[in-house]
Amino acid sequence: MKFSLLKQKNFTLLMISKLVSLIGTQMQDFEVSLYILRITGSTFKFSSVLIVTSIPNIILGPFAGVLIDWFDRKKIPVYLDMVAGIIVGVYAIIYKIEGKLTLGSIYVLVILLALISLFFNPSIRTVIPSILKKDELLGGNGIDSFVMNIGNLVAPALAGILLSIYGLFDISVKCL
């Protein structure tokens, strides 16, 4: 792996943004699942949240890269992160107004965020060749894979630490 590629500002910013986004997404998936388990006490509902997040990947995963090619490769990751932030913000407002979230609304949330992640990751991979030279692509893709693995390792650990410090927020969930 050629870590010297991280001297290139645009590539470094891309990898940092990917890492931050990935950690946030993985932490949210971890915490939402645990939250459902805590509120419902149902391991089935807990696992159903994890299963529901896999459905978009199973159905659209093979086509995600092709669909991303139809759009501006450099802007799509930014737009996808903005949409994810808006969705989470809307859910925060709904909770603030309603005082609760239904299990169904949580399913919708995790599906929407899974769809965004499904398209975010290939969009990052399509940006890399526009930032790096052809002879740097192998090293760049290696760093991209390394960042993905680090994010997948760090996110649950960080979520667990934050959970042990702050606990789960006491949010009422109306389970249908």
Side-chain angles (χ1 to χ4, degrees):
M1 210 168 351
K2 296 177 81 175
F3 286 106
S4 61
L5 292 174
L6 294 174
K7 292 178 183 175
Q8 296 182 33
K9 180 184 172 187
N10 289 337
F11 182 69
T12 299
L13 290 174
L14 181 67
M15 290 299 106
I16 290 171
S17 68
K18 178 178 181 165
L19 182 62
V20 169
S21 180
L22 177 65
I23 288 173
T25 300
Q26 296 287 348
M27 285 177 58
Q28 181 172 306
D29 291 348
F30 179 84
E31 301 248 351
V32 166
S33 298
L34 285 180
Y35 175 71
I36 295 297
L37 179 62
R38 177 179 168 249
I39 295 302
T40 66
S42 168
T43 55
F44 174 76
K45 289 179 181 175
F46 163 78
S47 65
S48 71
V49 171
L50 298 173
I51 292 167
V52 164
T53 60
S54 300
I55 292 171
N57 202 12
I58 292 167
I59 296 170
L60 296 173
F63 311 107
V66 173
L67 295 173
I68 288 298
D69 286 339
W70 293 351
F71 301 98
D72 184 341
R73 294 174 183 182
K74 290 185 180 180
K75 293 181 182 176
I76 197 75
V78 175
Y79 293 151
L80 289 172
D81 265 348
M82 287 172 46
V83 169
I86 290 168
I87 290 169
V88 170
V90 166
Y91 269 79
I93 292 168
I94 291 170
Y95 167 71
K96 191 70 172 165
I97 292 169
E98 299 285 325
K100 65 182 182 247
L101 296 172
T102 65
L103 186 58
S105 70
I106 291 174
Y107 284 147
V108 171
L109 172 67
V110 297
I111 287 172
L112 290 173
L113 295 176
L115 280 168
I116 289 170
S117 291
L118 173 70
F119 292 106
F120 181 83
N121 292 324
S123 70
I124 293 289
R125 281 185 238 119
T126 63
V127 172
I128 292 173
S130 66
I131 294 175
L132 299 177
K133 297 174 188 161
K134 191 173 185 174
D135 63 327
E136 296 172 326
L137 287 178
L138 186 60
N141 288 331
I143 291 173
D144 180 54
S145 179
F146 178 73
V147 165
M148 187 74 127
N149 290 328
I150 290 296
N152 287 332
L153 177 71
V154 168
L158 186 56
I161 290 168
L162 292 173
L163 189 61
S164 69
I165 294 171
Y166 297 106
L168 286 171
F169 293 104
D170 189 21
I171 301 172
S172 301
V173 174
K174 180 182 171 191
C175 297
L176 304 174

